[in-house]
Amino acid sequence: MLQDPQIAKLARLIDKSRRAVVFTGAGISTESGIPDFRSPGGIWTRMAPIDFADFLASEEARRETWRRRFAMEETFRAAAPNRGHRAVAELVRRGTAAVVITQNIDGLHQASGIAAERVIELHGNTTYAACLDCERRYELDAVREAFERDESAPVCDSCGGWIKTATISFGQAMPAAAMRRAETETIAADLFIVAGSSLVVYPAAGFPELAKRYGATLVIVNRETTGLDAIADFVLHRAIGETLGTAVGVD
Ligand code: NAD
Ligand code: ZN
């Protein structure tokens, strides 16, 4: 049935696994129309990221952060889970995968039907905002309406802290609870599947290394070479939707 030997091998590894973890990056969402960072034409070939320290220090950096976020709003809003997300959701539904660890901030794993508690977000979520000081949640539509009145960066109604999308910027502390949980799940995994990450951003890219060290079979599905191809057991330089979709048997 599975003619393609690489996909047949991936399917066998999945069937054999008792406890898999799927680890995703921006590449799983490009087929949903969200550009990644490091592919040719990716976001960073066009603009440098804004560091957390700059966001805190400069009103202009905060404004620019919000302008960029709202410029992306139509893209995020229009994006729906693709075949790759559906394949991952099926692995969770079957109980093959205990959790998904994601570097993505787009919420598409949850939108594909995976319960929020099974999605470990290492870099937060861009579909809503929060106060940096008291963590009060803010919805983006309201933030945008206020921002577009005079382009002043939004502050918290409760405590006066800066409001920022609920994402982790460069230079910002990683979310401690998510990091701990990701570590525990990674150590427990017998199969660790990376889908759509260049594996150059740490500490996130440390998880596939950790999985390997604790005896998991490490599989990487990514169009281009990654920082960890050399230590992987099996590397597929192919499109994620078709590869995972066929291996798992979902459309
Ligand atoms: P990256 O941009 O560094 O790497 C993405 C990788 O995916 C590339 O190596 C590319 O070859 C591969 N890829 C792209 N489309 C593919 C496809 N259809 N099939 C197979 N491979 C494909 O992404 P990263 O490693 O996740 O690091 C970027 C950081 O940027 C993340 O930490 C994340 O927080 C953030 N980010 C998130 C989103 C999102 O939420 N969708 C989008 C852009 C950036
Ligand atoms: Zn606050």
Side-chain angles (χ1 to χ4, degrees):
M1 206 181 72
L2 293 174
Q3 302 286 340
D4 186 308
Q6 276 198 319
I7 291 182
K9 178 174 173 182
L10 177 57
R12 277 197 305 277
L13 288 171
I14 289 170
D15 284 345
K16 224 175 63 185
S17 170
R18 307 279 88 181
R19 191 177 179 122
V21 164
V22 184
F23 178 92
T24 63
I28 199 173
S29 293
T30 57
E31 293 172 44
S32 295
I34 301 175
D36 64 10
F37 277 176
R38 292 178 186 79
S39 285
I43 293 170
W44 285 353
T45 58
R46 287 178 281 132
M47 49 194 168
I50 297 168
D51 276 6
F52 188 54
D54 294 334
F55 182 92
L56 293 180
S58 148
E59 175 72 3
E60 184 44 35
R62 287 188 288 275
R63 277 196 193 126
E64 179 60 16
T65 301
W66 281 108
R67 276 187 217 114
R68 288 181 186 184
R69 176 60 189 84
F70 295 135
M72 286 294 293
E73 181 56 14
E74 301 318 313
T75 303
F76 279 117
R77 204 171 284 234
N82 66 57
R83 197 176 174 199
H85 294 106
R86 287 193 289 278
V88 175
E90 174 62 15
L91 291 179
V92 174
R93 196 195 61 78
R94 285 183 196 165
T96 305
V99 294
V100 180
I101 303 174
T102 189
Q103 302 173 82
N104 292 346
I105 56 176
D106 54 32
L108 289 181
H109 287 300
Q110 294 91 325
S112 76
I114 303 177
E117 66 266 19
R118 294 199 179 273
V119 181
I120 302 175
E121 293 177 319
L122 297 179
H123 295 162
N125 191 306
T126 196
T127 64
Y128 60 95
C131 170
L132 287 175
D133 293 336
C134 75
E135 293 173 13
R136 177 170 166 190
R137 177 176 166 136
Y138 288 87
E139 303 310 321
L140 291 186
D141 283 346
V143 174
R144 184 174 194 169
E145 208 182 293
F147 180 74
E148 287 180 349
R149 251 175 263 141
D150 62 357
E151 283 219 325
S152 57
V155 292
C156 179
D157 296 331
S158 306
C159 79
W162 298 119
I163 297 172
K164 181 177 166 292
T165 57
T167 50
I168 307 297
S169 299
F170 280 98
Q172 189 171 359
M174 294 293 284
M179 287 295 286
R180 270 196 307 274
R181 238 189 113 202
E183 187 176 309
T184 306
E185 294 291 347
T186 296
I187 288 171
D190 62 8
L191 174 66
F192 195 94
I193 303 173
V194 175
S197 175
S198 56
L199 299 176
V200 296
V201 181
Y202 282 81
F207 290 107
E209 290 177 337
L210 186 68
K212 182 78 192 143
R213 210 174 322 131
Y214 278 83
T217 301
L218 176 60
V219 175
I220 299 177
V221 184
N222 201 69
R223 210 157 42 202
E224 293 166 85
T225 57
T226 78
L228 297 178
D229 283 7
I231 67 157
D233 296 285
F234 187 31
V235 180
L236 299 94
H237 287 153
R238 316 173 53 135
I240 292 161
E242 199 207 339
T243 304
L244 292 186
T246 311
V248 176
V250 303
D251 292 323

